[in-house]
């Protein structure tokens, strides 16, 4: 019996992980610091960049205390030195309630919204408000669940759920999503459940004490709960966190029949925002709500233009501002929207308000460790020699290119029915896919045979980097 | 001016709030339908039968804590069963009480608050209807543990009156349990005052509803 249940559990875990796709930073699980904020060389998916990680940890502590608003941080470094990984690590290490809003600098350029509006929205998405709200809950013991397919075989399923308390019993008709949820959560007779009426979310509290003698249906983790009393439907106060932007949206929706004509919320009026600000301040004074400043992360911040930077200056002065983290891989370059050069493409007055963390290129050892972590994350077995070759490729070309080769070489090794990726496989994919520098040499060599070629290629490179 | 002040103080707070609310009235299907918007943004809708002047529907729409609009909440009257079924098949609602369950509807007469609970097949002896110990609500229990309901009377809460168990009666017939609670004099008086007030209101007839374009 016990063996069978463990087998089941293993399968369940597999199912869950399969749903998640492996992203570029999915191996990052935190900043990899110990309790004294000392960085460990390899921990939580982070490798090296000790000083930068430690600095990020200090900032994180500041965010957790929640006292300081409107601080800004810039992570600067060459491409592929783990800037985004550090930001992701910070988001993972933050408490679950605190909002972490990530965006790329280019996201604010939209035809439907002005740049300042997009920035304001991003700022307000990064501030959470923890507030009590009354919701209607249904709480009871499941007497019977029945899900039937219609006789024709196709079409919507029909579901009924009978719930009881010690005093009453009610039958409910179920919608399609609810039926799916019940089958997924494996709700069965004898379970004590609550259903949030507004969201339709079911949560299992445990099993009824009256079922404690059904030995076959229990495992060691089953909790036994008393059957609820009184009415099935109850009003309960639930504490939850919403972002200020969400409150803005709720209050700026056009009401009445005019709502039919105004589709999306689009821009939110500044009067609405002011109202919300004063309302939130009022709640805070009355002790009804608590403000949780979060983090706004703007990647590729050099994509913002001079107007955005001056607007950022203003936003950072508000007392409800979140902590702003920016990342850039540019050196001294033109500020977008002007002809002036400035470090990181950010005006000096804004730079003056920033704390700057620098990331440095990885050493060979660190590159190897990162590749090893990625191999694990992508479920790839690799020979030591192959890993050494791949590390050398990573040092000579770029870390990103080397990471790209992992899964590609794994596929090649699987095609030849190998269990581990060998040096041969790496060589094969290295010849199949060329990296950026080989591509450039290739282009230089055969420039004349391509269309629209410009002979002065050397200066063309530099221009491309600046835009 | 002083006399005016005296008449104001004689009115109960409930009458006062309704009088000061923004009102629109409409006569449709033999009913006087009145829509109130209270000072805090809450909406109230009342429907009176014109012939008998009985209150048929009273429903509220309150703002949620965050300022969103919630669904209408019925205080008096019957909700549309068909709308619940269609909401389920359309997917706007995921869970509704099956129509084989007991349904509790408040339907007042002029002299009493009245609840009709349909689909209750058990004999009269199975029910136990009592006023709660705190005198703010009525509890219905069944000896077979199939039905349980706490009734509150918002009218009494608004006038800050407590419930007297002597005014409570109940009967059972045709699968329906009828619970009655005799209205105290204060409530009946308020009712008369409001009715006179509503009759004075200018109400649009059905068919020529104004549709101002903004």
């Amino acid at each position: 019996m016990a063996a069978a249940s463990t087998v089941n559990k293993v399968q369940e875990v597999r199912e869950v992980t399969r749903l998640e796709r492996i992203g570029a930073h999915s191996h990052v699980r935190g900043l990899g610091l110990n309790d004294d904020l000392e960085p460990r060389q390899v921990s939580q998916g982070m490798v090296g960049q000790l000083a930068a990680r430690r600095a990020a940890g200090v900032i994180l502590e500041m965010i957790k205390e929640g006292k300081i608003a409107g601080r800004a941080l810039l992570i600067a470094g060459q491409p592929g030195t783990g800037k985004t990984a550090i930001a992701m690590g910070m988001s993972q290490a933050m408490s679950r309630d605190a909002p972490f809003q990530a965006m790329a600098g280019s996201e604010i350029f939209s035809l439907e919204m002005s740049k300042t509006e997009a920035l304001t929205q991003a700022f307000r998405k990064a501030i959470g408000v923890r507030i009590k709200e009354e919701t209607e809950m249904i709480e009871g013991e499941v007497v019977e669940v029945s899900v039937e397919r219609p006789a024709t075989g196709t079409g919507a399923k029909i579901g009924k759920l009978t719930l009881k308390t010690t005093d009453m019993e009610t039958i409910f008709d179920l919608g399609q999503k609810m039926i799916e949820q019940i089958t997924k959560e494996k709700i069965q007779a004898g379970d004590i459940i609550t259903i949030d009426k507004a969201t339709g979310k079911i949560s299992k509290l445990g099993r009824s004490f009256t079922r404690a003698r059904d030995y076959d249906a229990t495992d060691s983790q089953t909790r036994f709960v008393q059957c609820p009393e009184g009415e099935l439907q109850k009003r309960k106060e639930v504490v939850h966190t919403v972002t200020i932007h969400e409150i803005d949206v709720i209050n700026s929706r056009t009401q009445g029949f005019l709502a039919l004509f105004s589709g999306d919320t689009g821009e939110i009026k500044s009067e609405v925002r002011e109202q919300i600000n004063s309302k939130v301040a009022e709640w805070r004074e009355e002790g009804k709500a608590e403000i949780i400043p979060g983090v706004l992360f703007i990647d590729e911040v050099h994509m913002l233009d001079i107007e955005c930077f001056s607007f950022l200056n203003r936003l950072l002065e508000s007392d409800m501002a979140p902590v702003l983290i920016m990342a850039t891989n540019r050196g001294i370059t033109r500020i977008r929207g002007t002809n002036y050069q400035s470090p990181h493409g950010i005006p000096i007055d804004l730079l003056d308000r920033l704390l700057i963390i620098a990331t440095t290129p990885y050493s060979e050892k660190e590159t190897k460790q990162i590749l090893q972590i990625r191999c694990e994350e992508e479920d790839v077995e690799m020979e030591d020699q192959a890993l050494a070759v791949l590390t050398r490729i990573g040092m000579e070309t770029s870390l990103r290119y080397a990471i790209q080769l992992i899964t590609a070489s794994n596929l090649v090794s699987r095609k030849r029915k190998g269990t581990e990726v060998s040096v041969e496989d790496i060589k094969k994919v290295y010849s199949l896919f060329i990296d950026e520098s080989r591509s450039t040499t290739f282009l230089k060599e055969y420039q004349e045979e391509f269309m629209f070629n410009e002979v002065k290629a050397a200066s063309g490179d530099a221009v491309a980097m600046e835009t | 001016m002083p006399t005016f002040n005296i008449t104001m103080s004689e009115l109960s707070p409930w009458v006062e709030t309704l009088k000061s609310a923004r009102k629109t009235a409409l006569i449709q299907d033999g009913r006087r339908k009145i829509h109130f918007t209270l000072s805090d943004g809450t909406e109230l809708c009342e429907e009176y039968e014109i012939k008998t002047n009985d209150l048929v529907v009273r429903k509220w729409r309150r703002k949620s804590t965050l300022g969103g609009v919630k669904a209408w909440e019925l205080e008096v009257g019957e909700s549309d069963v068909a709308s619940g079924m269609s909401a389920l098949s359309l997917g706007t609602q995921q869970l509704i009480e099956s129509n084989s369950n007991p349904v509790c509807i408040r339907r007042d007469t002029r002299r009493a608050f009245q609840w009709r609970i349909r689909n209750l097949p058990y004999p009269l002896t199975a029910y136990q209807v009592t006023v709660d110990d705190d005198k703010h609500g009525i509890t219905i229990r069944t000896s077979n543990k199939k039905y349980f309901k706490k009734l509150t009377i918002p009218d009494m809460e608004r006038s800050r009156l407590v419930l007297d168990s002597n005014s409570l009666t109940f009967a059972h017939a045709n699968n329906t349990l009828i619970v009655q609670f005799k209205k105290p004099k204060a409530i009946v008086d308020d009712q008369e005052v409001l009715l006179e007030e509503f009759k004075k209101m200018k109400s649009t007839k059905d068919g020529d509803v104004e549709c101002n374009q903004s």
Side-chain angles (χ1 to χ4, degrees):
Chain A
M1 180 66 220
S5 75
T6 47
V7 168
N8 272 337
K9 218 163 274 162
V10 168
Q11 271 171 353
E12 264 168 43
V13 171
R14 274 270 169 81
E15 262 164 42
V16 172
T17 41
R18 203 176 293 157
L19 286 175
E20 263 178 50
R21 299 187 64 197
I22 300 165
H25 294 105
S26 50
H27 60 281
V28 176
R29 285 175 245 290
L31 281 173
L33 307 174
N34 64 16
D35 291 342
D36 302 327
L37 296 185
E38 289 296 334
R40 285 176 286 234
Q41 176 63 24
V42 182
S43 172
Q44 293 184 316
M46 300 289 267
V47 177
Q49 306 295 5
L50 298 182
R53 271 158 61 199
R54 164 127 211 207
V58 172
I59 299 288
L60 191 69
E61 213 52 32
M62 187 174 92
I63 298 165
K64 275 186 186 158
E65 272 177 29
K67 279 183 193 148
I68 292 168
R71 286 299 162 85
L73 181 73
L74 177 70
I75 310 176
Q78 293 90 326
T81 48
K83 296 180 296 295
T84 315
I86 286 177
M88 292 299 142
M90 287 179 83
S91 86
Q92 299 275 348
M94 268 164 45
S95 74
R96 276 207 311 154
D97 264 353
F100 184 90
Q101 173 69 16
M103 65 185 288
S106 45
E107 264 174 56
I108 63 157
F109 298 97
S110 149
L111 286 176
E112 275 169 13
M113 219 182 266
S114 67
K115 288 174 277 187
T116 49
E117 171 72 14
L119 269 181
T120 318
Q121 287 198 2
F123 258 72
R124 291 176 81 88
K125 277 179 197 164
I127 309 164
V129 178
R130 205 204 314 258
I131 192 163
K132 265 190 216 149
E133 230 190 338
E134 205 176 57
T135 51
E136 272 192 32
M137 304 279 268
I138 298 172
E139 187 179 325
E141 178 184 332
V142 180
V143 179
E144 195 188 344
V145 205
S146 71
V147 177
E148 281 166 32
R149 273 196 179 282
T152 50
T154 51
K157 286 181 202 162
I158 303 160
K160 275 192 195 304
L161 174 71
T162 314
L163 290 177
K164 71 163 187 188
T165 65
T166 50
D167 296 303
M168 69 182 291
E169 201 173 299
T170 305
I171 306 170
F172 293 93
D173 287 330
L174 304 174
Q176 293 309 306
K177 275 188 196 147
M178 195 64 91
I179 294 175
E180 274 167 38
Q181 220 187 129
I182 281 179
T183 19
K184 213 173 102 195
E185 302 261 332
K186 301 197 181 76
I187 303 290
Q188 50 179 333
D191 288 343
I192 309 266
I193 59 170
T194 59
I195 305 173
D196 186 337
K197 257 197 130 181
T199 60
K201 201 185 168 306
I202 301 182
S203 36
K204 219 183 203 172
L205 299 181
R207 279 189 74 73
S208 169
F209 264 116
T210 50
R211 302 279 181 147
R213 283 164 172 275
D214 302 359
Y215 293 114
D216 59 353
T218 59
D219 64 35
S220 55
Q221 283 160 358
T222 310
R223 264 201 313 157
F224 288 102
V225 189
Q226 212 60 263
C227 181
E229 291 177 347
E231 280 182 290
L232 269 168
Q233 299 204 21
K234 289 174 185 120
R235 281 177 182 278
K236 273 200 175 169
E237 283 209 320
V238 181
V239 181
H240 60 162
T241 316
V242 289
T243 67
I244 294 207
H245 175 68
E246 283 168 324
I247 306 180
D248 286 350
V249 170
I250 290 170
N251 285 281
S252 68
R253 254 187 214 135
T254 341
Q255 280 161 22
F257 79 103
L258 279 176
L260 291 172
F261 302 110
S262 68
D264 210 14
T265 42
E267 297 215 353
I268 292 164
K269 287 195 196 111
S270 58
E271 298 98 78
V272 174
R273 291 226 166 92
E274 269 159 39
Q275 261 179 31
I276 303 295
N277 284 354
S278 60
K279 193 110 173 241
V280 169
E282 199 180 288
W283 288 338
R284 188 153 65 154
E285 262 172 43
E286 290 167 6
K288 279 188 196 162
E290 194 187 328
I291 297 209
I292 305 168
V295 168
L296 171 63
F297 173 57
I298 308 180
D299 210 350
E300 315 283 335
V301 74
H302 49 264
M303 292 305 291
L304 300 186
D305 60 13
I306 185 79
E307 293 156 43
C308 296
F309 287 127
S310 80
F311 192 66
L312 275 183
N313 273 339
R314 197 186 88 82
L315 280 182
L316 282 173
E317 272 158 21
S318 125
D319 61 341
M320 291 239 274
V323 172
L324 176 67
I325 299 178
M326 299 177 280
T328 180
N329 53 20
R330 299 296 154 93
I332 297 173
T333 177
R334 205 166 54 86
I335 302 168
R336 192 166 176 179
T338 66
N339 287 317
Y340 298 105
Q341 302 264 327
S342 182
H344 310 294
I346 297 172
I348 302 287
D349 59 337
L350 181 58
L351 273 177
D352 198 27
R353 289 165 204 245
L354 302 178
L355 293 170
I356 301 176
I357 297 179
T359 55
T360 45
Y362 289 110
S363 70
E364 184 161 356
K365 197 178 152 207
E366 286 163 350
T367 309
K368 189 171 182 179
Q369 278 162 334
I370 293 171
L371 287 171
Q372 222 160 11
I373 290 172
R374 284 306 299 183
C375 281
E376 247 164 64
E377 183 70 21
E378 292 175 27
D379 227 351
V380 174
E381 305 251 339
M382 196 174 280
E383 281 172 15
D384 285 347
Q385 263 182 321
L387 192 63
V389 172
L390 198 60
T391 310
R392 217 171 53 235
I393 294 175
M395 291 306 288
E396 274 162 23
T397 60
S398 76
L399 180 61
R400 286 216 172 93
Y401 175 70
I403 288 174
Q404 311 263 39
L405 291 189
I406 295 176
T407 296
S409 60
N410 185 39
L411 287 174
V412 170
S413 100
R414 278 222 304 255
K415 272 279 160 280
R416 64 164 180 88
K417 301 214 166 55
T419 47
E420 275 188 326
V421 176
S422 67
V423 182
E424 288 305 308
D425 300 324
I426 300 278
K427 275 187 184 160
K428 178 116 193 213
V429 283
Y430 184 72
S431 65
L432 282 176
F433 304 102
I434 56 174
D435 59 287
E436 173 262 321
S437 69
R438 275 189 289 159
S439 174
T440 317
T441 14
F442 176 78
L443 283 181
K444 276 181 189 154
E445 212 166 301
Y446 296 100
Q447 176 78 306
E448 297 83 50
E449 285 159 42
F450 282 86
M451 280 176 75
F452 309 122
N453 65 74
E454 282 179 49
V455 190
K456 37 174 193 154
S459 65
D461 242 25
V463 172
M465 275 303 282
E466 257 175 52
T467 43
Chain B
M1 245 359 229
T3 48
F4 178 71
N5 271 335
I6 289 164
T7 47
M8 289 288 278
S9 61
E10 277 173 2
L11 297 174
S12 73
W14 170 238
V15 176
E16 205 61 59
T17 37
L18 285 197
K19 273 189 138 181
S20 62
R22 224 174 53 217
K23 298 183 276 285
T24 336
L26 163 77
I27 293 178
Q28 195 181 41
D29 307 329
R31 286 178 182 181
R32 175 180 280 115
K33 303 183 175 179
I34 310 160
H35 179 272
F36 304 85
T37 313
L38 307 187
S39 52
D40 62 346
T42 312
E43 288 176 81
L44 167 67
C45 222
E46 289 191 337
E47 292 180 20
Y48 292 88
E49 200 77 57
I50 289 178
K51 277 184 201 147
T52 58
N53 285 323
D54 278 348
L55 175 67
V56 195
V57 174
R58 176 185 287 151
K59 54 186 177 182
W60 294 89
R61 184 149 77 179
R62 297 190 170 86
K63 288 266 174 91
S64 75
T65 328
L66 297 177
V69 183
K70 293 209 272 191
W72 286 99
E73 275 171 56
L74 272 175
E75 184 182 310
V76 178
E78 190 173 352
S79 70
D80 189 3
V81 183
S83 76
M85 288 304 286
S86 67
L88 192 69
S89 57
L90 284 172
T92 46
Q93 225 169 352
Q94 284 302 314
L95 183 88
I96 57 162
E97 283 185 29
S98 163
N99 49 19
S100 59
N101 286 321
V103 213
C104 181
I105 298 156
R106 185 172 144 197
R107 204 187 182 302
D108 289 5
T109 64
R110 195 166 328 160
R111 296 281 157 219
F113 302 112
Q114 191 185 81
W115 293 265
R116 291 164 168 268
I117 305 166
R118 297 195 197 121
N119 284 342
L120 269 183
Y122 322 114
L124 187 62
T125 49
Y127 308 104
Q128 192 193 348
V129 184
T130 51
V131 170
D132 292 349
D133 293 336
D134 61 0
K135 296 200 179 294
H136 284 292
I138 299 167
T139 309
I140 304 171
R141 288 185 182 81
T142 45
S143 57
N144 57 3
K145 306 287 183 197
K146 288 290 180 194
Y147 190 73
F148 179 93
K149 180 96 184 161
K150 277 195 152 118
L151 302 171
T152 52
I153 314 178
D155 306 67
M156 302 287 276
E157 300 275 320
R158 287 192 284 260
S159 310
R160 295 196 191 83
L161 297 170
V162 290
L163 306 188
D164 177 13
S165 55
N166 291 329
S167 312
L168 183 69
T169 52
F170 64 101
H172 185 264
N174 303 326
N175 275 352
T176 307
L177 178 73
I178 301 171
V179 179
Q180 283 215 23
F181 188 89
K182 204 165 144 273
K183 288 180 182 170
K185 188 170 177 299
I187 299 273
V188 180
D189 288 351
D190 276 4
Q191 227 169 264
E192 300 296 320
V193 175
L194 283 172
L195 205 60
E196 286 312 305
E197 192 69 26
F198 296 152
K199 279 183 181 162
K200 278 188 275 176
M201 276 179 73
K202 208 175 74 183
S203 50
T204 44
K205 291 275 188 302
D206 188 20
D208 58 356
V209 186
E210 281 173 53
C211 183
N212 292 329
Q213 296 198 328
S214 52

